[in-house]
Amino acid sequence: MARPTRTVVDDPLSSPGRSGLHWIRLLTEAYSWISSVAFLVQLLLIGIGPGRLVLAALVSSVLVSWVLWPKRDTWLVALVECAVVHGAVFVLPTPQPALGFVFAVTVRRALRGGRHERFPLRALPALLGFLTGFTAWVSVGSAAVTGPVVASVAMPLVGLGVVAMALHEAVRSATLVQDAHRTVEAVVRASPVGHVLLDAEGAPRLHNDRARELLAWPAREPGRVPCPHGPDITACTRGCRSADDAVEVRVTRADGSTGVLAVHAVPVQDVSEQHTLVTALDVSKRRELEDALRARAERDELTGLAGRTHFLHQVDGALLAGEAVGLLVIDLDGFKEVNDAEGHEAGDWYLVSAAERIGRAVGPVATAARLGGDEFAVLAPGHDVRESARLATRILSELARPLTGLGHETVIRASVGIAVSSAGVGTADLLRDADTAMYVAKREGGGRIRLFRPEMGERVLARQRDKADLRTAVSDGQLVLHYQPIVDLATSAAAGAEALVRWQRPGHGLLGPGEFIGLAEETGLIVPLGNKVLAGACEQAMRWREQGRELGVTVNVSTRQLSAAAFLPSLDRVLKTTGLPPERLTIEVTESVWADGAAMRGLMEVRETGVRVALDDFGTGYSSLSYLQRYPFDVVKIDRSFTGALSETSRTAGVVRCIIDLAEVLGAHTVAEGIETQAQADWLRNAGCAYAQGYLFGRPDLAENWTAQPSVPH
């Protein structure tokens, strides 16, 4: 039958070491009192002369100090003891009673002085008092008597010294052990770790309260220490008891909740019996945190779909399985416009809605993930080209269902690229191919599916080279400005010039804006490119002014430039640096600016600085009289599609005349573009058009080739 366990913190007298020390103290204390009281009685009964009463009073004071201050040992008491034993030799018939008192006070001091190194010094006065008194007594006694007495006294004194020192060291060592025991008990009791000491049979012998709490033991008797492979760690045959690292155990607490313990079993060496120390630490919160971090790493926090890293690991695993793997990359069309127009909260809701629909469309046969931003992906193991295409079609159909959560009905459009694995293809290659196909779908207008083909990769690589070259062009000065005159039809003189950017690309010649502006918009290079054009045009206008030519300059500005917070400070800096008056600069925008609230706000702030604003290609885009009335422009430019058809139908002429009249009503000037014949110029002059530009007046050219101010031919 197993012995009952006990907690680590025991009663001070329960251990064998403590019990032995306790009995030593009791016996020593009893001997000291008996010897001292006997000495006091002998002084009173057989002492000679009145000195015996004085000595008896002094012995009584020593006994009183033992009662009142049992743990104090002062030099005063030691000196009193010295006086007592010295005088007792002379008032008693023999020195043996005084020697008994010396034994009593010395062994008691040896026991009580266990904590102090001053014991030998405090014990000396009593010994010296006895020796001096005994020596005086011997000097006046007879040799026949004193010889045996000296022998009977000397050896006990030597024994007293040895025994007293041995007792002192024993008590001091036992006290240190007690202190260490109490320290260990305090540490173990306060420890958040449960400790259990098991014997050779695996039964717990010692434990702290934390172990009982963590291991959910019954109130009276603890059970076996559990392990991951069963209810008893000592009976485990799978290495729990000798494992180098802690093993985790799931336990059920008294309140019904569950927790996770890290249990570590370590053999205890250098003991008579085989023992094992088992520690148990509650790691429930750490496990919860690890699970949360793992879930966050595996799942996208916003949409709940698989995260990028976890998804790519899944693609790795699917490719290692050896079957065909379909990978779809999905990019939402127009998400930036939704985010800018409706706000980030609406943008997040839009992404969550898209994620829910993608997840619903793929079902259990595939895994959907959010790669970042508005880009999603779907892993379809076992799907060939046809099955992957059908899956992509289901996704677009699900996304296309009307969405009403934004306060108005809208439809989620997306571009989907598909890549299907082939022998030897890796995750990075498959993702790159699907991304390339998606990019092609988006370039073709979006809202469609494209399957990757090798030639797509070549086109994408070429596009990447174009981007890199354009970035170099912006930074290395490969962009040049040409200027086309804007003529005042009433005075037949050039009133200004429109700055048109060209790219002097090495190996490709001079490229017009149509070949790289779209690329600049796509890459975000339109902002630094536009800033360079703006600065160069203003500098040129100042050079003309210094030459005596009062020519204004018109610069095309993209919607993306206007919506940037840094545009207005940049414009102000250019005007101050060059010294160009604001009214000599015209910012030209297209009607698409009305669809971008941030760009419109930026445009109105520009107009407040005194810079003129021109509306380009009027009538070809988002034309609206309410917009023209709400956001006034200084110049309205008539698109070349109207002026080029003036001679074809009277209907076109009527439209152009209406634009001219409308601009006049709104307080704006009109500039007709694309004028190539004298007849067109004459008609526009007669219709009231203020300005015109086109090949009739001059082609775009470098500023240094403007040798004379262009004028209207007659």
Side-chain angles (χ1 to χ4, degrees):
M1 182 174 179
R3 293 169 295 176
T5 187
R6 66 174 185 268
T7 59
V8 168
V9 182
D10 297 312
D11 182 76
L13 302 180
S14 62
S15 63
R18 293 180 179 184
S19 178
L21 181 60
H22 176 66
W23 281 110
I24 291 173
R25 284 176 172 168
L26 285 178
L27 292 173
T28 303
E29 194 77 20
Y31 168 77
S32 299
W33 276 95
I34 292 171
S35 297
S36 299
V37 171
F39 177 59
L40 175 63
V41 171
Q42 290 182 75
L43 284 174
L44 293 173
L45 295 180
I46 63 175
I48 302 171
R52 62 188 177 86
L53 298 177
V54 175
L55 294 177
L58 292 175
V59 172
S60 299
S61 67
V62 171
L63 296 178
V64 169
S65 71
W66 290 1
V67 175
L68 297 180
W69 305 288
K71 295 184 180 181
R72 292 181 60 184
D73 185 21
T74 65
W75 281 105
L76 177 61
V77 173
L79 294 176
V80 170
E81 294 168 352
C82 176
V84 167
V85 295
H86 181 81
V89 174
F90 298 102
V91 300
L92 290 173
T94 64
Q96 277 77 6
L99 182 60
F101 183 69
V102 171
F103 267 76
V105 297
T106 302
V107 295
R108 186 181 187 279
R109 182 169 284 110
L111 179 69
R112 296 293 177 177
R115 293 177 182 272
H116 307 290
E117 299 298 334
R118 294 189 298 273
F119 156 72
L121 296 177
R122 295 277 175 86
L124 283 178
L127 292 173
L128 292 176
F130 178 79
L131 289 174
T132 55
F134 180 70
T135 302
W137 181 80
V138 169
S139 64
V140 298
S142 65
V145 177
T146 58
V149 172
V150 171
S152 65
V153 170
M155 293 310 294
L157 283 176
V158 173
L160 172 62
V162 173
V163 171
M165 290 302 299
L167 179 62
H168 170 69
E169 288 300 322
V171 171
R172 193 168 69 90
S173 298
T175 303
L176 293 175
V177 171
Q178 285 184 350
D179 290 344
H181 191 195
R182 291 191 183 96
T183 302
V184 171
E185 286 176 349
V187 170
V188 173
R189 181 185 286 275
S191 174
V193 179
H195 296 273
V196 184
L197 184 65
L198 305 176
D199 63 13
E201 298 176 356
R205 287 290 163 255
L206 295 172
H207 70 278
N208 62 355
D209 292 337
R210 182 59 172 163
R212 181 183 291 276
E213 176 188 346
L214 291 177
L215 298 172
W217 280 342
R220 289 185 175 270
E221 188 64 27
R224 299 291 184 175
V225 179
C227 74
H229 312 120
D232 185 358
I233 197 170
T234 62
C236 181
T237 59
R238 301 175 64 178
C240 284
R241 193 170 181 180
S242 60
D244 292 334
D245 298 322
V247 291
E248 292 192 350
V249 180
R250 188 167 291 277
V251 295
T252 301
R253 303 186 181 99
D255 59 0
S257 62
T258 60
V260 180
L261 303 181
V263 179
H264 197 190
V266 182
V268 179
Q269 305 294 335
D270 300 327
V271 293
S272 58
E273 298 182 16
Q274 180 183 356
H275 286 77
T276 302
L277 177 64
V278 177
T279 61
L281 177 65
D282 190 349
V283 294
S284 304
K285 292 188 179 299
R286 188 194 72 189
R287 172 55 68 87
E288 290 175 4
L289 180 60
E290 289 175 349
D291 291 344
L293 291 174
R294 187 179 300 108
R296 180 172 295 183
E298 294 178 355
R299 293 285 164 185
D300 175 62
E301 192 171 359
L302 177 64
T303 63
L305 298 180
R308 182 184 184 93
T309 302
H310 181 58
F311 179 76
L312 295 180
H313 286 320
Q314 289 185 306
V315 177
D316 289 338
L319 291 175
L320 289 174
E323 59 182 347
V325 175
L327 183 63
L328 285 62
V329 173
I330 307 159
D331 192 85
L332 305 184
D333 298 331
F335 172 71
K336 182 181 182 300
E337 287 74 12
V338 172
N339 208 40
D340 291 344
E342 307 289 346
H344 291 296
E345 290 186 6
D348 288 346
W349 178 83
Y350 191 83
L351 290 173
V352 171
S353 300
E356 290 175 350
R357 295 186 175 198
I358 292 172
R360 193 160 48 241
V362 303
V365 301
T367 300
R370 181 185 178 208
L371 299 183
D374 61 341
E375 190 173 59
F376 298 84
V378 172
L379 170 64
H383 283 53
D384 58 17
V385 172
R386 181 172 298 180
E387 291 168 330
S388 297
R390 282 200 294 265
L391 181 60
T393 302
R394 285 204 309 272
I395 292 172
L396 288 188
S397 298
E398 185 68 26
L399 289 174
R401 291 190 302 106
L403 193 67
T404 58
L406 295 176
H408 55 84
E409 189 172 283
T410 186
V411 172
I412 301 176
R413 297 177 73 253
S415 302
V416 183
I418 301 174
V420 178
S421 65
S422 57
V425 70
T427 298
D429 297 330
L430 192 64
L431 181 63
R432 180 200 61 210
D433 293 347
D435 194 63
T436 298
M438 181 276 295
Y439 176 77
V440 171
K442 188 169 285 290
R443 282 193 61 192
E444 292 178 356
R448 64 196 69 205
I449 303 166
R450 287 293 177 265
L451 176 67
F452 174 77
R453 292 184 177 83
E455 58 269 21
M456 288 181 179
E458 296 173 4
R459 289 202 300 270
V460 169
L461 286 176
R463 189 73 169 173
Q464 294 298 332
R465 285 195 296 270
D466 290 344
K467 291 179 181 179
D469 288 350
L470 181 58
R471 187 171 287 106
T472 301
V474 172
S475 60
D476 290 358
Q478 296 177 14
L479 302 177
V480 295
L481 291 181
H482 286 198
Y483 298 90
Q484 186 175 30
I486 300 176
V487 174
D488 186 341
L489 293 175
T491 62
S492 302
E498 181 177 0
L500 301 169
V501 65
R502 302 287 188 266
W503 180 8
Q504 189 67 54
R505 187 178 185 184
H508 294 77
L510 192 65
L511 304 181
E515 298 184 61
F516 62 89
I517 289 298
L519 183 62
E521 290 274 6
E522 178 185 322
T523 58
L525 288 171
I526 191 66
V527 174
L529 185 152
N531 290 339
K532 282 185 174 293
V533 171
L534 180 63
C538 291
E539 290 170 358
Q540 182 57 51
M542 282 302 297
R543 282 193 288 271
W544 281 329
R545 192 176 189 191
E546 292 167 359
Q547 297 169 5
R549 306 168 72 181
E550 292 295 332
L551 295 174
V553 65
T554 298
V555 178
N556 292 277
V557 175
S558 73
T559 301
R560 188 163 183 175
Q561 278 181 272
L562 282 172
S563 61
F567 178 74
L568 190 62
S570 176
L571 173 63
D572 184 62
R573 186 166 53 252
V574 167
L575 293 175
K576 288 181 178 178
T577 301
T578 60
L580 183 68
E583 63 274 10
R584 306 304 297 173
L585 173 64
T586 301
I587 295 297
E588 187 173 301
V589 297
T590 63
E591 293 173 349
S592 62
V593 73
W594 286 330
D596 190 318
M600 276 305 305
R601 289 190 295 272
L603 188 65
M604 292 302 98
E605 290 174 352
V606 167
R607 196 167 186 270
E608 290 175 1
T609 66
V611 173
R612 292 155 54 86
V613 176
L615 181 62
D616 195 16
D617 302 334
F618 179 76
T620 62
Y622 301 87
S623 300
S624 169
L625 293 179
S626 63
Y627 277 123
L628 280 174
Q629 184 179 8
R630 194 182 316 160
Y631 304 113
F633 289 84
D634 301 291
V635 178
V636 174
K637 301 191 78 171
I638 304 172
D639 188 69
R640 66 182 64 249
S641 61
F642 295 114
T643 58
L646 279 175
S647 60
E648 296 177 5
T649 63
S650 58
R651 187 171 185 175
T652 301
V655 170
V656 173
R657 194 181 298 276
C658 286
I659 294 174
I660 295 171
D661 292 342
L662 176 62
E664 183 178 357
V665 169
L666 295 174
H669 299 295
T670 50
V671 177
E673 295 182 301
I675 308 305
E676 298 184 0
T677 67
Q678 184 62 46
Q680 292 171 335
D682 293 339
W683 189 94
L684 289 166
R685 184 187 302 108
N686 294 332
C689 182
Y691 302 94
Q693 67 182 99
Y695 288 171
L696 177 64
F697 311 113
R699 293 176 177 271
D701 202 350
L702 296 171
E704 51 265 30
N705 295 334
W706 280 38
T707 55
Q709 290 189 11
S711 59
V712 180
H714 293 286

